[in-house]
Amino acid sequence: KENRISLFDNACCATPDSPPAGASRGLILQLDEQHMTTKVDRTYFHDPPIHASHQGNMQQLPNGNQLIGWGQGPYVPEFKYAGNTEGNPALHMIYDMHFPGDNFTYRAFKNEWVGLPLEPPDMRVGCMGNKLRLFICRGMVLQKWRPGRCWLVETPMQWRL
């Protein structure tokens, strides 16, 4: 869309000792170049709220959906383009991935890709409820990653659909 910019607003911390100004969020801003102003066009809040003091990003996908990496908050959800509000953060969330333990991501991206192995794969996959685990011991060919299915994920994750 013309005259729009997307960004990850961590809403955090003017100084290392100051508290967050609010919940972190994804933003799409509408630019008015003539008047040199902006206004919020869409927001993307996480449920539950995340206060990410550092890192994070927002990626617009080819279908218009938004993928948000919450940086220090170990979540990667995909939202419908319509967005949501702080009062209704679950609205338009398609899925949400959560990294286990102390793991987090600097930035998250969703892309089509193919990985080619140097040797045949040796892997194990297990599903327990909504927990998925895929262990890769050697190289393997991965052609698609599909949220909510029990294959092609490199680390244990919890899914919320």
Side-chain angles (χ1 to χ4, degrees):
K1 306 242 177 181
E2 290 186 30
N3 296 327
R4 292 195 179 148
I5 185 172
S6 66
L7 60 97
F8 178 77
D9 172 17
N10 69 354
C12 193
C13 307
T15 69
D17 298 325
S18 65
S24 301
R25 62 190 174 160
L27 284 174
I28 296 180
L29 301 176
Q30 177 70 48
L31 306 177
D32 181 342
E33 294 180 24
Q34 182 179 0
H35 296 99
M36 302 299 288
T37 60
T38 65
K39 69 177 184 175
V40 174
D41 183 60
R42 303 267 195 281
T43 58
Y44 301 88
F45 289 90
H46 192 270
D47 183 23
I50 295 175
H51 301 279
S53 64
H54 54 83
Q55 304 169 2
N57 73 303
M58 187 168 161
Q59 176 193 15
Q60 183 169 328
L61 302 174
N63 65 1
N65 289 349
Q66 303 293 326
L67 185 82
I68 300 180
W70 295 89
Q72 169 217 358
Y75 296 91
V76 180
E78 182 177 333
F79 294 94
K80 291 181 181 176
Y81 179 74
N84 62 25
T85 64
E86 191 169 16
N88 191 2
L91 181 67
H92 299 295
M93 184 185 288
I94 299 168
Y95 63 86
D96 191 24
M97 295 182 294
H98 178 243
F99 291 101
D102 294 332
N103 295 301
F104 60 89
T105 179
Y106 171 67
R107 293 187 294 177
F109 294 99
K110 181 178 179 180
N111 295 298
E112 291 187 25
W113 58 276
V114 174
L116 300 175
L118 297 175
E119 52 190 74
D122 181 12
M123 66 178 201
R124 295 203 169 108
V125 178
C127 291
M128 296 180 69
N130 66 348
K131 276 193 173 176
L132 167 73
R133 294 178 189 227
L134 171 65
F135 301 95
I136 302 172
C137 300
R138 293 188 188 126
M140 64 182 292
V141 175
L142 304 177
Q143 293 183 341
K144 287 191 177 181
W145 174 66
R146 296 184 181 174
R149 294 198 181 174
C150 295
W151 58 295
L152 307 184
V153 177
E154 295 177 335
T155 185
M157 295 191 174
Q158 295 178 345
W159 294 89
R160 185 174 76 187
L161 297 176

